[in-house]
Amino acid sequence: MASADNNIYFIITANPPSPNSHINAGQICFIGKQRFDLWQKRNDRNMPVVCMGTPFDVYLNEVLLQQLKPRSAELLLALESNEMRLLALKDPEALKEASNLSEGSQVYVEYNGQWLKGVIRYGLSTSSYMSDPIRGVFFGVELQGEDKEKGQNDGSYLHQTYFTCPKNSGIFAPFTRIKPVDHKPSAPLLPTQSSLSMTSTEPLKVGDRVTFLSDINDHHGMIMDIKDSPDGKMVLISTDRDKEGKQGGEMLVPLDFVIKEEPLNKDETEKMDTSQGSEMGGVTDFDEITVGSLVQILGKELAYGIVRWVGSLPDCLETIAGLELENSSAGVTDGTYKGKRYFNCPPRCGLFVKLSSCRPDDRFSGAKEQHFNGHSDHNGAIVYEEQENVPPIRTEDVSKRLIGKKKGIQGHCNSCYMDSALFSVFSCSSVLDSMLFKSTEHETIQNILLKNIVNPLRKQGFVSERSVMNLRKQLQNREHCPTYTTDEKDPEEFLSLIMQEILSLDPPLKLCSHSGSRQKVQSCYYYQIFMDHNHHLVLPTVQQLLEHSFYSNSLKLAEVPACLILTMPRSGKSFKMFPKIIPSTELDITGLLADGPQQCVLCGQLANEECAECFRDTVFSDTGFKYFCEKCSTQVHSHQQRRCHKPRRLLLPQGFSYSQSSGSDRRTPPREKLELFAVLCIETSHYVSFVKYGPQDTDWIFFDSMADRVGEIDGYNIPEVRACPEVGQYLHMPLSQLANQVPREMKGVAKRLFCDGYMYLYQSRTMSLYR
């Protein structure tokens, strides 16, 4: 268990926006001091913290966090609810006094509505999660004098004795029920005691116009009734718009969340308070979001708009942004809040949200700053300026720009095949970028792909499901296929459609098939590996599978491809031919080329013969077509088992010659190799991807467009990109050791790569310069 001295503690002061909406204000969290120092150097607003009771990191904006001393964190952690912690935080003097209490301190303790006199005998620590670095601290108090035997125990708690005292003279209590004797006792702080000063200066009554504040929206309406409940007073409001956006709904909300709207006279209504907004417009919690910025907010669905005002609102601790939304059905105001105007916009087009909930609009990202300097057309639609193009994410920028939750491409409605394919091809590689700029009659689809998906992915690390759905709709219209926006497809089918039929990209793969003495060249966009049943492979590499498939189908490469997309042998999406496949990080295609110098597999010199029958001979290595120089071929085929073989004479490449003395050119032929840059995997019809983003063995990331979900029917998916350096460790493990690995015991997500590999993407950095 980590020492409390090695951590920095915080309390979350407001409910975080999505994707951390499952976290509540009042929770205690922490970060290691060394990690905190590294975070400060990165100048990042989102801090990686761990909430008490959980083992996982979450990234929270620093404005949501208030730092605590370790002792204060322990005292607050003992309180029963998040609401009680937030209420106790409003009395810093009481927290400070409690931090100075120790064994022997004379105190008053609240019990059954009475303040009883006693002395502290013990500080009891409790925890609900064993890995928490600190525990909630209760005080064990022994009652004194005339208050003896007015307590609840004898110093024992849950059958364990912490101190001894007479029967019913001991009490365990949190610090909110403890006061030093020199502090005048007052009523205990209870969450049921409402503070109307936070909401209204006078009592609310039936018929009052009010505003109800939710996480990011405010709702307006009239009070129909005020009721008592076990949780305190509740207000029944007839709203102008209910939670589902319907007119005239009713909502039952806590009294503390209701604000009375004061009536305005005509002069006040027309007066617009812009001084505070303009003052804050240039400096916000997020430097890239200011007045005029194009933003999006993610709730049940994405909403887009323009920041019209940035500043502070009454009773709101966080910085607030006033938005004019594109979709009027998503708004609730015309720029007024609690009767005060902060900006102008049409009715029900305005929305006040936390600035931390806003993100730059990913539909129009590029190298230019996202400010609205454009105009509206005659229909009121926003016209945007042209955006610059963005190169693939550099190795050194992947950690900051791409890794984390709500990163990558957001999945929606069976889109994982498309999300994974687009992320694999475009996030960190430019090998297929030519199709983004090639002249085409389908400019709409090309622009959506470039400006709404590829550029935002590379610049901000996030693409909303709306952008991908827009692409799916365009493809559906183009193909007249009614299921393109609803059903799952194969990633190779999608990539072929985009490259071949939509953007007319030249096929990157050219194959030679041998039929007798005739040689036929065929072009394709990907290669499906087919295996005959006459093979001995148990734990194959991609290199072996490709060679066996080429051998079985009498195929060779006509030229070195800039990009090679391979799909693995399968029978449907559920049946896998091999339980594991080892990704070949380098694919040596020298022996697969139809034309070019080949190397003798025995001596390494220039080969002049190829023997197809030797390919399956177990005497030789498990990889590579079998090429021999004249001398080695004679020796090999002198064996009685190989005398029936019929080696094929190779054509001598230009610039090479055979030596009469040695039978071969002594120069070593060059090797042609492709590098693996991405792998798509499938398990139970769900696609994910791995991307090799840098030169180091551990430079691997894992992407899942539907890693998490908020809500059910009306919810949304949360994509995630995570570093997976463990993949490199397994890839360099000896084959015998790797074969003994139990999949479910493999570290991290490595099991997905080795057991679920479906599509492997290779590139030639040299050839891609010419394509």
Side-chain angles (χ1 to χ4, degrees):
M1 182 176 295
S3 169
D5 293 337
N6 293 328
N7 296 304
I8 299 175
Y9 297 88
F10 301 89
I11 186 171
I12 303 172
T13 58
N15 291 329
S18 300
N20 294 318
S21 55
H22 60 286
I23 297 171
N24 298 314
Q27 287 185 251
I28 307 296
C29 58
F30 67 93
I31 182 175
K33 288 184 178 179
Q34 291 184 347
R35 194 176 188 189
F36 180 77
D37 292 339
L38 292 174
W39 170 79
Q40 284 185 313
K41 294 176 182 178
R42 292 201 306 265
N43 195 27
D44 187 359
R45 296 284 183 177
N46 293 318
M47 185 189 303
V49 296
V50 179
C51 292
M52 293 293 181
T54 71
F56 306 111
D57 285 355
V58 292
Y59 285 80
L60 301 179
N61 192 286
E62 59 182 329
V63 301
L64 302 177
L65 304 174
Q66 178 176 329
Q67 187 171 342
L68 301 171
K69 294 181 179 179
R71 184 60 172 175
S72 298
E74 291 175 332
L75 294 171
L76 289 169
L77 199 59
L79 301 183
E80 293 181 3
S81 66
N82 296 327
E83 291 78 9
M84 293 182 69
R85 296 189 192 108
L86 292 173
L87 195 60
L89 199 64
K90 296 178 182 178
D91 191 356
E93 279 301 315
L95 191 58
K96 182 178 179 181
E97 286 180 344
S99 299
N100 295 326
L101 295 175
S102 59
E103 291 187 36
S105 296
Q106 300 289 325
V107 295
Y108 290 102
V109 56
E110 187 274 331
Y111 183 64
N112 286 338
Q114 294 181 311
W115 287 95
L116 308 176
K117 191 173 183 178
V119 60
I120 293 179
R121 295 299 188 197
Y122 193 85
L124 171 64
S125 298
T126 63
S127 175
S128 59
Y129 199 78
M130 62 183 303
S131 66
D132 287 346
I134 60 172
R135 299 184 176 189
V137 171
F138 292 81
F139 291 102
V141 178
E142 180 182 354
L143 300 179
Q144 303 288 302
E146 61 184 16
D147 291 329
K148 281 187 177 181
E149 299 184 358
K150 294 182 180 180
Q152 60 184 161
N153 55 55
D154 59 357
S156 299
Y157 178 74
L158 295 179
H159 308 291
Q160 184 171 346
T161 300
Y162 293 93
F163 65 93
T164 57
C165 66
K167 184 178 180 181
N168 294 332
S169 294
I171 294 175
F172 288 102
F175 81 96
T176 51
R177 292 167 51 201
I178 302 288
K179 302 294 180 185
V181 291
D182 56 356
H183 183 281
K184 184 178 179 181
S186 59
L189 291 172
L190 296 175
T192 56
Q193 294 180 336
S194 302
S195 176
L196 291 180
S197 63
M198 293 292 292
T199 57
S200 177
T201 56
E202 61 184 51
L204 296 173
K205 60 183 182 295
V206 173
D208 282 345
R209 288 284 303 175
V210 293
T211 297
F212 159 59
L213 298 180
S214 63
D215 285 346
I216 61 173
N217 295 349
D218 56 358
H219 303 269
H220 303 273
M222 180 182 293
I223 294 181
M224 305 299 294
D225 194 9
I226 301 177
K227 304 177 179 180
D228 289 320
S229 76
D231 297 324
K233 288 188 177 297
M234 303 292 288
V235 180
L236 180 65
I237 302 174
S238 177
T239 62
D240 301 333
R241 184 180 299 277
D242 67 8
K243 293 180 180 178
E244 305 301 326
K246 299 177 182 178
Q247 299 292 331
E250 292 185 349
M251 302 174 67
L252 190 64
V253 300
L255 177 66
D256 288 349
F257 295 170
V258 179
I259 300 172
K260 183 177 180 180
E261 295 181 357
E262 300 297 334
L264 298 178
N265 57 42
K266 182 177 180 181
D267 293 336
E268 288 176 323
T269 303
E270 295 176 352
K271 184 178 179 181
M272 183 176 177
D273 183 0
T274 59
S275 60
Q276 192 175 25
S278 60
E279 179 182 350
M280 295 292 292
V283 181
T284 69
D285 285 324
F286 299 152
D287 292 338
E288 72 272 21
I289 298 179
T290 60
V291 172
S293 294
L294 301 172
V295 297
Q296 64 186 36
I297 54 174
L298 183 59
K300 286 187 176 180
E301 59 183 25
L302 275 172
Y304 298 89
I306 310 167
V307 177
R308 294 301 190 192
W309 174 88
V310 176
S312 300
L313 292 178
D315 308 325
C316 295
L317 298 178
E318 293 190 56
T319 302
I320 303 298
L323 309 182
E324 179 181 351
L325 301 178
E326 291 181 10
N327 185 356
S328 61
S329 64
V332 296
T333 180
D334 61 355
T336 60
Y337 178 79
K338 291 180 65 176
K340 187 175 182 179
R341 180 170 295 282
Y342 292 88
F343 64 93
N344 269 324
C345 72
R348 302 193 183 283
C349 284
L351 188 66
F352 289 98
V353 301
K354 301 171 186 176
L355 185 61
S356 59
S357 299
C358 297
R359 295 180 64 94
D361 190 332
D362 64 28
R363 300 172 299 170
F364 308 97
S365 86
K368 296 180 182 179
E369 188 175 1
Q370 294 191 58
H371 267 62
F372 178 66
N373 297 318
H375 58 280
S376 298
D377 64 14
H378 64 280
N379 293 321
I382 298 176
V383 179
Y384 299 90
E385 297 180 353
E386 188 74 13
Q387 299 292 323
E388 296 179 10
N389 300 315
V390 186
I393 301 175
R394 299 181 303 173
T395 301
E396 56 269 28
D397 294 332
V398 166
S399 177
K400 180 179 180 180
R401 189 178 304 174
L402 201 56
I403 293 178
K405 283 200 169 185
K406 203 179 179 187
K407 291 292 185 178
I409 302 174
Q410 184 184 24
H412 176 68
C413 193
N414 295 321
S415 69
C416 59
Y417 73 96
M418 188 179 293
D419 307 327
S420 297
L422 291 171
F423 184 87
S424 299
V425 170
F426 293 113
S427 60
C428 301
S429 174
S430 61
V431 67
L432 291 177
D433 275 16
S434 59
M435 68 178 175
L436 301 174
F437 310 104
K438 185 178 178 66
S439 297
T440 175
E441 61 181 10
H442 303 289
E443 290 187 4
T444 301
I445 293 178
Q446 188 181 51
N447 285 333
I448 292 173
L449 184 61
L450 173 61
K451 298 176 182 179
N452 293 9
I453 296 177
V454 176
N455 280 349
L457 176 63
R458 291 174 173 178
K459 182 175 176 59
Q460 298 169 347
F462 176 76
V463 177
S464 73
E465 57 85 13
R466 178 172 174 172
S467 297
V468 178
M469 180 56 74
N470 196 9
L471 176 63
R472 296 171 74 183
K473 289 178 179 179
Q474 292 294 328
L475 294 176
Q476 177 172 283
N477 295 336
R478 165 68 176 78
E479 289 297 295
H480 305 290
C481 175
T483 62
Y484 226 103
T485 58
T486 56
D487 291 0
E488 183 179 291
K489 309 291 183 182
D490 293 324
E492 64 270 26
E493 175 188 343
F494 161 67
L495 290 176
S496 294
L497 173 66
I498 287 289
M499 290 190 289
Q500 180 179 3
E501 299 187 36
I502 304 297
L503 302 179
S504 302
L505 186 71
D506 292 335
L509 184 58
K510 291 180 170 56
L511 301 175
C512 293
S513 60
H514 295 271
S515 178
S517 60
R518 299 179 59 187
Q519 179 174 299
K520 181 181 178 182
V521 176
Q522 57 186 20
S523 301
C524 53
Y525 291 87
Y526 70 95
Y527 180 72
Q528 169 71 60
I529 291 179
F530 292 99
M531 298 290 294
D532 59 28
H533 297 285
N534 186 24
H535 68 81
H536 62 278
L537 300 178
V538 177
L539 183 60
T541 65
V542 174
Q543 177 89 39
Q544 291 173 321
L545 292 174
L546 180 61
E547 290 169 348
H548 276 73
S549 184
F550 268 42
Y551 169 79
S552 300
N553 296 280
S554 301
L555 294 175
K556 289 290 182 67
L557 292 171
E559 63 183 31
V560 178
C563 180
L564 176 60
I565 301 176
L566 303 174
T567 57
M568 294 298 102
R570 279 179 177 265
S571 177
K573 295 180 180 179
S574 59
F575 176 77
K576 297 182 290 188
M577 185 171 288
F578 300 98
K580 287 182 188 174
I581 295 176
I582 302 174
S584 301
T585 54
E586 274 192 342
L587 202 61
D588 191 336
I589 61 170
T590 309
L592 303 180
L593 292 170
D595 298 317
Q598 300 295 342
Q599 192 174 7
C600 176
V601 296
L602 296 181
C603 69
Q605 295 186 19
L606 183 67
N608 56 7
E609 290 185 357
E610 177 190 5
C611 181
E613 289 89 344
C614 286
F615 179 82
R616 296 184 183 276
D617 198 316
T618 57
V619 172
F620 304 106
S621 65
D622 289 334
T623 59
F625 281 64
K626 303 307 181 282
Y627 298 97
F628 304 98
C629 66
E630 189 171 323
K631 182 178 180 179
C632 292
S633 180
T634 301
Q635 293 177 347
V636 167
H637 293 99
S638 64
H639 194 281
Q640 59 180 4
Q641 292 183 354
R642 304 187 190 96
R643 288 175 183 172
C644 60
H645 289 188
K646 298 178 181 180
R648 180 178 67 88
R649 192 76 176 176
L650 298 176
L651 293 177
L652 183 67
Q654 186 176 1
F656 288 83
S657 61
Y658 293 117
S659 169
Q660 295 295 328
S661 59
S662 64
S664 175
D665 192 316
R666 291 187 176 277
R667 288 176 294 174
T668 301
R671 310 299 297 180
E672 293 288 352
K673 296 182 179 180
L674 306 180
E675 63 179 43
L676 178 67
F677 71 92
V679 181
L680 270 71
C681 301
I682 181 173
E683 183 182 28
T684 60
S685 296
H686 180 62
Y687 289 92
V688 296
S689 63
F690 292 82
V691 171
K692 182 75 163 59
Y693 67 88
Q696 302 299 320
D697 296 339
T698 54
D699 290 343
W700 284 89
I701 52 177
F702 172 76
F703 165 63
D704 186 349
S705 66
M706 303 177 182
D708 199 359
R709 185 169 178 83
V710 174
E712 294 299 332
I713 297 177
D714 296 326
Y716 55 89
N717 294 307
I718 299 175
E720 181 179 13
V721 180
R722 55 188 290 189
C724 51
E726 67 275 7
V727 166
Q729 300 172 8
Y730 286 106
L731 287 174
H732 286 78
M733 188 176 289
L735 186 61
S736 58
Q737 186 178 352
L738 185 59
N740 293 326
Q741 294 291 317
V742 179
R744 65 175 179 272
E745 296 178 359
M746 298 178 80
K747 297 178 182 177
V749 292
K751 176 257 181 186
R752 305 288 299 274
L753 178 65
F754 289 92
C755 299
D756 302 326
Y758 177 77
M759 177 185 288
Y760 295 76
L761 293 87
Y762 289 86
Q763 64 182 352
S764 169
R765 293 192 180 273
T766 302
M767 294 304 297
S768 62
L769 298 175
Y770 301 97
R771 301 298 184 189

